Amino acid sequence: LKHKMFSCCIGDPGHTGGSKEMVCCFPAVNTEMEDLQGREAQTDENVAQLFTIFLERPRDSRLGLELDLTDGRTLQVIRVESGLVQDYNKTRESTDERLTPGDCIIAVNDMRGDASKLLQRVDDGTLTLEVQRPIQFEVTVDCADGVLGINTYHASRGTSVLIGEIGPGAVHSFNIKNADKAVQVLDRIVAVDGTFAGEGGPKDLLQALEAKRDQVTLTLLRLT
């Protein structure tokens, strides 16, 4: 198991080979984040939910988002704090229309496919945010030999670790035997054996992944 960390400002070395860390904070007052653990898995034909948010952003206003850019393609929401998005959420009766932790902004004003360019566009005065809410699912992997065979990336203050590569090991063996449930590159691990990231953030998940066991159950998020 190898890790890499990215920061959109600073790159930090990972503690077991390399984790890349991308975190972007839009200034906001600290509030308690909504917990991914409370979100029900979405299984409707294994298709992630899509919705669009329209915002007007006055100069010097705060979005109130902390974002994870690790996959290089989208802006995953880590936290929603005081700002325009929190105010917008309060006007939505249905949680299906609110931007919440775990959601991924896949396009900003028709720009898509490049996280750094999406980040630049959120400074626009008028914002059209296309959002995808990932499906959540679980797999149980036999790992008696102790080698999962995955390289991961994460944001230092994130709530998940991103699978960047799958090599020889338990996950690859699982995929061969379970093609219909195969773990994929860019899946995000949000819990290990039912334990989600706590105050330690993704480090909690990394430590759990490195523990020796015969089997491990991974809770994953996937964009479709």
Side-chain angles (χ1 to χ4, degrees), residues 101-223:
D103 289 345
C104 291
I105 300 171
I106 61 173
V108 180
N109 294 348
D110 293 327
M111 174 65 68
R112 65 184 68 241
D114 185 320
S116 61
K117 291 182 180 179
L118 296 184
L119 192 62
Q120 294 173 5
R121 296 304 301 270
V122 297
D123 287 330
D124 292 354
T126 299
L127 296 174
T128 300
L129 307 179
E130 296 178 40
V131 180
Q132 193 172 76
R133 181 161 294 163
I135 59 170
Q136 181 173 306
F137 63 100
E138 290 186 351
V139 297
T140 298
V141 177
D142 293 325
C143 54
D145 63 0
V147 179
L148 287 176
I150 58 175
N151 291 345
T152 65
Y153 302 76
H154 69 275
S156 61
R157 286 164 49 85
T159 55
S160 65
V161 293
L162 183 82
I163 297 176
E165 298 173 68
I166 300 174
V171 173
H172 179 66
S173 297
F174 171 87
N175 286 350
I176 293 174
K177 298 174 183 177
N178 302 274
D180 59 328
K181 301 178 182 178
V183 177
Q184 299 177 11
V185 170
L186 298 184
D187 284 349
R188 289 181 179 270
I189 301 171
V190 294
V192 179
D193 288 333
T195 300
F196 289 72
E199 293 183 359
K203 290 182 180 179
D204 293 341
L205 299 175
L206 296 177
Q207 290 175 359
L209 287 170
E210 291 173 344
K212 293 186 181 298
R213 55 170 74 80
D214 291 333
Q215 285 188 328
V216 61
T217 298
L218 305 177
T219 303
L220 301 162
L221 296 182
R222 175 180 297 167
L223 295 176

